[in-house]
Amino acid sequence: GQQVMQIPQYQHVQEGEDFTTYCNSSTTLSNIQWYKQRPGGHPVFLIQLVKSGEVKKQKRLTFQFGEAKKNSSLHITATQTTDVGTYFCAGSGGSYIPTFGRGTSLIVHP
Amino acid sequence: DTGVSQDPRHKITKRGQNVTFRCDPISEHNRLYWYRQTLGQGPEFLTYFQNEAQLEKSRLLSDRFSAERPKGSFSTLEIQRTEQGDSAMYLCASSMDKANTEAFFGQGTRLTVV
């Protein structure tokens, strides 16, 4: 079955440093979504990527979808303490059911 | 509509008891998903409904688990003869259609089996 791997599991940064999390799928994806989950909260949708090689930006966040539609990344520029949380990628195949990665927990030190 | 709502928020039960959780999705969403999340892990897919039809179930889903969505609106997830390993956060999510799989999650039901 479809598997989605995400690295790293944890990332500590100083406020102002950049952060990147990477996502890889065992199969070609129809689309990929990114979610953020704050401690004690539930996953909240950030963005969906559909096209091969697609790049989308949301303020300091940049999302990329690989040419082969099997990998993706999320990059945060100049992290802030409000960026703290766990970032999940979720890939969908032909059934369009999101399969989540394990997540990357971002810890920002002021 | 305030989003996806789940009830109860917390449930403590003794091993061997049955529990039932309810999910009310966003009203115009025809797709409804149940996921389970344990500490340090991502949400794990359990089952999915398109309207009232249960179209897919995880192979990991024990036969003690059953889900329904009788009128294509709210859904229930029942766990029979609970085990300590069932302790987790049970998340419900809904989305509009196949082309737009942006899923809106509820707050979840935290189950503790003692």
Side-chain angles (χ1 to χ4, degrees), chain A residues 1-2 9-10 31 33 35 37 40-45 48 50 88 92 94-103, chain B residues 9 31 33 35 37 40-45 48 56 59 89 91 97-108:
Chain A
Q2 181 178 295
Q9 187 174 354
Y10 300 96
N31 61 51
Q33 304 107 56
Y35 293 80
Q37 185 172 26
H42 59 280
V44 175
F45 176 84
Q48 175 172 279
V50 178
F88 293 100
S92 297
S95 62
Y96 292 88
I97 297 172
T99 298
F100 282 76
R102 190 174 182 179
Chain B
R9 294 288 306 276
R31 291 166 70 98
Y33 314 83
Y35 286 85
Q37 186 176 28
Q41 302 295 322
E44 175 192 24
F45 171 73
Y48 148 67
E56 193 154 333
R59 287 171 293 175
M89 176 72 82
L91 292 164
D97 58 37
K98 187 170 72 170
N100 182 359
T101 49
E102 172 186 347
F104 292 82
F105 280 83
Q107 300 273 23

Side-chain angles (χ1 to χ4, degrees), chain B residues 77-108:
Chain B
L77 177 68
E78 181 183 17
I79 309 174
Q80 296 182 325
R81 306 181 303 281
T82 53
E83 302 172 357
Q84 286 189 321
D86 297 332
S87 296
M89 176 72 82
Y90 289 83
L91 292 164
C92 175
S94 68
S95 69
M96 286 191 69
D97 58 37
K98 187 170 72 170
N100 182 359
T101 49
E102 172 186 347
F104 292 82
F105 280 83
Q107 300 273 23

Side-chain angles (χ1 to χ4, degrees), chain B residues 1-109:
Chain B
D1 191 2
T2 56
V4 179
S5 62
Q6 293 186 243
D7 182 70
R9 294 288 306 276
H10 303 273
K11 179 70 176 179
I12 300 174
T13 191
K14 291 184 178 179
R15 189 176 52 183
Q17 297 294 306
N18 299 344
V19 293
T20 300
F21 310 141
R22 177 179 171 124
C23 170
D24 287 90
I26 293 173
S27 56
E28 62 266 28
H29 286 182
N30 52 22
R31 291 166 70 98
L32 185 148
Y33 314 83
W34 284 98
Y35 286 85
R36 175 173 61 193
Q37 186 176 28
T38 53
L39 194 63
Q41 302 295 322
E44 175 192 24
F45 171 73
L46 295 179
T47 191
Y48 148 67
F49 290 84
Q50 177 89 20
N51 299 311
E52 68 275 8
Q54 187 175 18
L55 296 185
E56 193 154 333
K57 289 172 61 173
S58 168
R59 287 171 293 175
L60 302 175
L61 200 62
S62 159
D63 58 6
R64 297 183 296 105
F65 287 68
S66 62
E68 294 182 342
R69 194 182 182 196
K71 297 181 180 179
S73 56
F74 73 92
S75 176
T76 57
L77 177 68
E78 181 183 17
I79 309 174
Q80 296 182 325
R81 306 181 303 281
T82 53
E83 302 172 357
Q84 286 189 321
D86 297 332
S87 296
M89 176 72 82
Y90 289 83
L91 292 164
C92 175
S94 68
S95 69
M96 286 191 69
D97 58 37
K98 187 170 72 170
N100 182 359
T101 49
E102 172 186 347
F104 292 82
F105 280 83
Q107 300 273 23
T109 295

Side-chain angles (χ1 to χ4, degrees), chain A residues 21-77:
Chain A
T21 173
Y22 301 91
C23 183
N24 284 285
S25 169
S26 57
T27 58
T28 301
L29 300 170
S30 298
N31 61 51
I32 194 157
Q33 304 107 56
W34 285 90
Y35 293 80
K36 178 181 179 181
Q37 185 172 26
R38 293 183 184 275
H42 59 280
V44 175
F45 176 84
L46 294 176
I47 209 160
Q48 175 172 279
L49 304 170
V50 178
K51 299 176 182 177
S52 170
E54 188 170 14
V55 177
K56 286 189 176 180
K57 293 190 176 185
Q58 287 181 350
K59 297 183 180 178
R60 294 178 295 103
L61 279 60
T62 302
F63 304 85
Q64 291 188 312
F65 201 9
E67 294 289 340
K69 300 183 72 173
K70 296 181 73 174
N71 62 286
S72 182
S73 65
L74 158 60
H75 180 82
I76 302 178
T77 304

